[in-house]
Amino acid sequence: MSRPTHVTSGPYAPPTPARELTVVSADGARLHVEVHGPVGDPGAPAVVLAHGWTCSTAFWAAQIRDLAADHRVIAYDQRGHGRSPASPACTAEALADDLEAVLAATLAPGEKAVVAGHSMGGMTIMAAADRPGFQQHAAAVLLCSTGSSLLVARSTVVPLRSGRARTWLTRHILGSRAPLGPVTPPARRILKYATMGPRSAPHMVEACARIVHGCPSRVRHAWSEVLNQLDLDRGVRELRVPAAVVVGTADRMTPPVHARALAAALPQCTGLTELPGLGHMTPVEAPEAISGKIRELVTAYGQGHAHPDGGAGGGDENDDDVRIREGA
């Protein structure tokens, strides 16, 4: 029997979506997409959520539950994660293709949304910054616990001084092909040390552990290789919509040096928030703070005018399989 890939009760249990669909990306990769909230309300502002490496839509459970009361919330599983099948293409360009496909499928032509990305989800936003589909739909963005380059070299997961030895060890630990196995007390302690702040509550650690351990080891390894080589500094400079940046001061995966560099390079940075004592999993560790930042961006820059049936702005008429064709 397979292990559960998320908790099933409490504040981090994923809520039931109002609508589910499959979006087909440019190379044929199939993406699981969920739409939450008042999908039939044309005045409900849209929010799009892109999760990070080894996670899934379940990672955003707290934000979805909060925002869906008065927002149309769109969340999707990155390729190979959650309910999106693995794909041979693991590149930053593929991440950008996927985000464009999701935006086209769920938003009406010209409709704007606030796009929030955590970790690899933030990198997805940077990769898509110069894409016409992204520029058509993004009103503002939240870059949460993320960075644009030197991800392995700057990680402090391995408690050594910065240098070749630490970089080598970090790359091999994060890129391990070994299965993570069941969620045991030692596994929780390791995950908490690497990805969360020291004061993270047990139920937060449990929620993150279930999600991360549910990611297939081959997918985890394939995307770790991409992150090791990633350089999206140009994408940061091309991100010409209002952008807020959030990081935990105890983040070992993407330490605050990344957030500060983003804030300095972004053309329209609306502010940098450093959350004291928090680690890499800020949407789980500080759900109200992250939801609040998204709400602030919606209030300042977001627009409603939702598609009356909640999506399929660029796809066909089948709600279960929306294909985005070249040039659509």
Side-chain angles (χ1 to χ4, degrees):
M1 188 170 119
S2 62
R3 298 190 300 270
T5 56
H6 55 74
V7 294
T8 56
S9 62
Y12 299 109
T16 301
R19 179 173 177 244
E20 297 179 270
L21 61 152
T22 297
V23 169
V24 182
S25 193
D27 66 347
R30 299 171 69 83
L31 307 169
H32 171 74
V33 182
E34 302 176 0
V35 184
H36 298 258
V39 297
D41 180 0
V47 172
V48 178
L49 304 175
H51 69 75
W53 177 52
T54 74
C55 293
S56 68
T57 58
F59 185 77
W60 294 109
Q63 284 70 43
I64 292 171
R65 185 169 282 107
D66 180 357
L67 296 170
D70 49 1
H71 296 70
R72 186 159 51 96
V73 183
I74 298 150
Y76 70 101
D77 286 325
Q78 303 267 23
R79 57 176 66 199
H81 296 71
R83 286 190 272 175
S84 294
S87 166
C90 294
T91 64
E93 290 74 20
L95 294 176
D97 287 342
D98 295 350
L99 178 55
E100 274 199 304
V102 170
L103 295 174
T106 57
L107 302 174
E111 182 185 0
K112 297 292 186 178
V114 169
V115 185
H118 170 260
S119 192
M120 192 172 80
M123 298 163 203
T124 300
I125 291 171
M126 298 175 222
D130 63 353
R131 298 291 189 90
F134 175 82
Q135 293 171 350
Q136 177 189 163
H137 291 297
V141 302
L142 175 64
L143 301 176
C144 186
S145 308
T146 191
S148 60
S149 62
L150 300 175
L151 300 173
V152 173
R154 288 177 171 171
S155 169
T156 59
V157 169
V158 175
L160 295 176
R161 183 176 298 179
S162 175
R164 288 184 180 179
R166 189 181 77 178
T167 299
W168 186 90
L169 280 170
T170 302
R171 185 173 72 250
H172 284 77
I173 291 170
L174 297 182
S176 171
R177 297 176 184 269
L180 293 181
V183 177
T184 61
R188 293 186 193 96
R189 288 194 291 272
I190 292 169
L191 179 130
K192 180 177 179 178
Y193 165 79
T195 70
M196 306 183 78
R199 294 188 297 275
S200 298
H203 70 291
M204 297 177 177
V205 178
E206 182 70 21
C208 289
R210 292 289 171 191
I211 295 168
V212 171
H213 280 241
C215 181
S217 57
R218 67 186 183 280
V219 172
R220 188 179 77 245
H221 170 76
W223 284 107
S224 75
E225 294 292 294
V226 176
L227 300 179
N228 179 46
Q229 302 294 331
L230 201 68
D231 185 347
L232 295 172
D233 292 347
R234 179 178 176 275
V236 178
R237 297 190 295 270
E238 294 292 328
L239 193 53
R240 301 187 181 280
V241 297
V245 182
V246 176
V247 69
T249 61
D251 189 339
R252 290 186 170 97
M253 296 292 288
T254 52
V257 62
H258 288 289
R260 294 164 192 161
L262 291 175
L266 285 163
Q268 293 191 63
C269 183
T270 66
L272 166 61
T273 302
E274 298 191 13
L275 300 172
L278 269 61
H280 186 64
M281 302 302 210
T282 43
V284 172
E285 297 177 74
E288 297 87 357
I290 301 306
S291 295
K293 287 295 176 185
I294 295 172
R295 286 184 177 275
E296 288 174 13
L297 291 169
V298 170
T299 299
Y301 308 105
Q303 298 179 19
H305 312 298
H307 193 279
D309 69 0
D316 59 28
E317 295 301 316
N318 184 350
D319 280 356
D320 296 320
D321 187 0
V322 179
R323 180 176 294 277
I324 306 306
R325 298 182 178 87
E326 183 177 354

